[in-house]
Amino acid sequence: MRDDWSHCGEPARRRQPRNSVIRQIAALPYRNEDPATDAAVHILLVTSRGTGRWVIPKGNPMSGTPPHAAAALEAEEEAGVVGPVCPTPLGSYRYRKRRGSGASLMMDVDVFPLAVTRELPSWKEQQERERRWFTLSEAAEAVEEPDLRDLIRSFGASEFKAATQRTGVLGAVAEKSRLGPMFAWFQRLLPRTGNFFELFEAHSVTVMAAGDALARLLEGGPASAEHIREVIEREHDADNITREVLQTVRKTFLTPFDRGAITSLIGALDDLDRRDAGDGQRDRAV
């Protein structure tokens, strides 16, 4: 097993920071099967306590503790592993965390590689989680977050280029679409070039999620600030998708009819999202 810094110091791949997004830290525990430089890398995942899905150990930053040290502590408590941790993050990924209030808030997670040198026979959250070693490809398939999947794959040289070329626009929309049947008819009308169908579907899912958050806000209760925050975050997501649609329109060969129809539709969808955000802002002012 190798416990050097072979996976430390690579250029971090991360999204542009937003002040409104909550930041977390995470460890990516890994080990090599032998000392060879091209030895196969394995990744340790744990199950989440809420849903039982496969995740990496993560948590909130700790006051007075460097981020990488806090990530190492999360790995020890959640996965029962210790080892040297890289002080430079490999990159970051984004996901939505469901709060007890029902709000789904965006989290940005900085990921620090941790070279596992010892697995503890017992650890703090042993009764609450399962831990398991995966190959790189297995671990990438096991996690749900697209950006985390790319970070895991980036440990393999063949995947590095693909991981650094992601656009990540659709990955920012963390909820899976429930609108497939509704959009089947519209997909046949869209031009075959460009990814307009996926962009329109992602935008519609975001608008619906903003509407759900606004409905929870209007119900009242002590968590109104979280619901307002989610409405604003959803508006930012919709703005990013609108921006990509307009950029794609400019880069894609379209007939004048297609171009006008696409810009009109994305404009109408954007108006809906801005109306939700405006209602949320007015409720906060009241």
Side-chain angles (χ1 to χ4, degrees):
M1 185 183 303
R2 182 169 68 193
D3 61 354
D4 57 16
W5 302 103
S6 56
H7 288 294
C8 185
E10 297 178 8
R13 293 167 293 283
R14 66 174 66 215
R15 298 179 178 278
Q16 291 298 319
R18 288 186 190 152
N19 294 331
S20 62
V21 177
I22 301 171
R23 301 206 71 84
Q24 291 187 315
I25 44 86
L28 185 63
Y30 73 94
R31 71 182 182 190
N32 297 86
E33 295 305 306
D34 62 65
T37 57
D38 59 348
V41 179
H42 285 71
I43 302 295
L44 184 69
L45 301 179
V46 298
T47 53
S48 66
R49 287 184 291 190
T51 62
R53 62 189 181 90
W54 290 107
V55 298
I56 58 177
K58 64 179 179 297
N60 297 320
M62 304 174 186
S63 178
T65 302
H68 68 285
L73 182 58
E74 295 292 343
E76 181 176 348
E77 293 182 351
E78 296 186 7
V81 292
V82 295
V85 59
C86 178
T88 303
L90 174 70
S92 67
Y93 71 96
R94 179 168 290 183
Y95 79 106
R96 285 195 174 276
K97 182 178 180 64
R98 179 73 63 179
R99 307 298 289 265
S101 64
S104 180
L105 301 183
M106 191 70 78
M107 306 282 173
D108 264 353
V109 187
D110 289 328
V111 180
F112 297 87
L114 184 144
V116 175
T117 57
R118 187 160 58 101
E119 297 181 51
L120 304 178
S122 61
W123 62 97
K124 184 176 180 179
E125 298 184 12
Q126 183 175 9
Q127 304 303 318
E128 304 172 63
R129 303 177 187 271
E130 177 186 352
R131 69 180 180 185
R132 183 186 305 175
W133 285 101
F134 295 82
T135 64
L136 277 178
S137 59
E138 291 171 343
E141 291 300 319
V143 299
E144 292 186 358
E145 299 83 2
D147 292 334
L148 177 57
R149 187 176 299 135
D150 279 347
L151 285 177
I152 292 174
R153 285 173 174 161
S154 73
F155 267 56
S158 63
E159 296 291 341
F160 181 83
K161 184 176 181 180
T164 57
Q165 291 180 340
R166 271 185 60 87
T167 61
V169 172
L170 296 182
V173 183
E175 294 189 71
K176 293 181 175 61
S177 171
R178 303 187 300 276
L179 305 177
M182 182 185 301
F183 277 79
W185 64 273
F186 187 68
Q187 184 179 21
R188 293 193 294 270
L189 300 178
L190 288 174
R192 296 186 180 276
T193 55
N195 59 336
F196 295 108
F197 171 69
E198 292 85 356
L199 291 170
F200 278 124
E201 187 169 8
H203 198 292
S204 298
V205 171
T206 304
V207 171
M208 288 184 61
D212 290 341
L214 180 61
R216 293 193 300 269
L217 172 62
L218 296 178
E219 289 175 358
S224 61
E226 292 184 347
H227 299 315
I228 291 172
R229 183 186 190 117
E230 181 178 356
V231 170
I232 295 172
E233 288 180 351
R234 299 291 189 178
E235 183 193 13
H236 290 161
D237 289 342
D239 287 343
N240 286 337
I241 298 170
T242 298
R243 188 175 301 110
E244 176 152 341
V245 168
L246 297 178
Q247 290 174 348
T248 305
V249 165
R250 290 194 292 269
K251 297 176 182 177
T252 306
F253 177 78
L254 299 168
T255 67
F257 171 79
D258 289 330
R259 191 181 304 275
I262 289 170
T263 54
S264 296
L265 180 55
I266 195 63
L269 289 172
D270 200 46
D271 288 343
L272 286 175
D273 189 71
R274 291 181 183 279
R275 188 178 306 167
D276 285 344
D279 290 342
Q281 293 280 19
R282 283 192 293 274
D283 190 87
R284 176 167 60 179
V286 174

